[in-house]
Amino acid sequence: MEMKDRMLTAIEIAEQLSGMMSNENDELRQHKIETVSAQQERKDAMSRQYEELILSLRLEQERLKDLDEEIRERYRSVAGKLQVIAGENERLIKATLTAGRRLMDAIIDAAKEKRAGGAQTYNAGGKVNTYERPGVSNVSLSIDGKF
């Protein structure tokens, strides 16, 4: 592939990735995790393709100078936009993951607290069964010494 064609392909992929990540950022803000997950494989494939193309272009930097200034400027503009959107995408993904972990931790902690207090179930007669933890006394004690 000729240098000009490779650069134009890099520009096209960068524009597509920018659009995809911009949409993903909107979906992350709206907590549409399923939609984001569904696009992850495509985004990863495009990102790898873009990175490989850019690495190959960097190996031939001297030849890049022979390209039209208009193409080089267009690439700089698109690459800068992609960098900003990708940074925002990374922050939103990290925030979503952190929020998800905190929610799961809160649910686990609540379940542990509930379990520590003894599990209550209903028996066949409709009465509440309370299963206390082993080693915990069911004897009541008051501060003033009256029972």
Side-chain angles (χ1 to χ4, degrees), residues 46-102:
M46 286 181 72
S47 295
R48 278 192 304 277
Q49 183 182 9
Y50 179 73
E51 285 180 34
E52 290 170 5
L53 190 54
I54 295 305
L55 286 174
S56 75
L57 288 170
R58 285 185 181 160
L59 293 174
E60 301 180 59
Q61 283 188 343
E62 286 302 314
R63 289 184 60 204
L64 288 174
K65 294 176 184 176
D66 297 336
L67 289 173
D68 293 339
E69 180 61 31
E70 179 184 333
I71 292 174
R72 289 187 294 165
E73 182 55 39
R74 185 171 166 213
Y75 172 73
R76 281 191 287 270
S77 173
V78 169
K81 179 182 173 185
L82 177 59
Q83 188 173 8
V84 169
I85 291 171
E88 182 181 6
N89 185 258
E90 181 181 3
R91 286 187 298 278
L92 287 167
I93 289 172
K94 283 181 181 179
T96 299
L97 291 173
T98 300
R101 280 190 207 109
R102 286 182 181 162

Side-chain angles (χ1 to χ4, degrees), residues 114 118-131:
K114 180 68 176 169
Q120 292 184 341
T121 60
Y122 293 95
N123 63 21
K127 305 273 184 191
V128 175
N129 289 330
T130 303
Y131 299 98

Side-chain angles (χ1 to χ4, degrees), residues 17 20 38 41 62 85 89 100 104 115 130:
L17 271 172
M20 183 183 292
E41 192 173 313
E62 286 302 314
I85 291 171
N89 185 258
M104 290 305 296
R115 188 172 185 195
T130 303

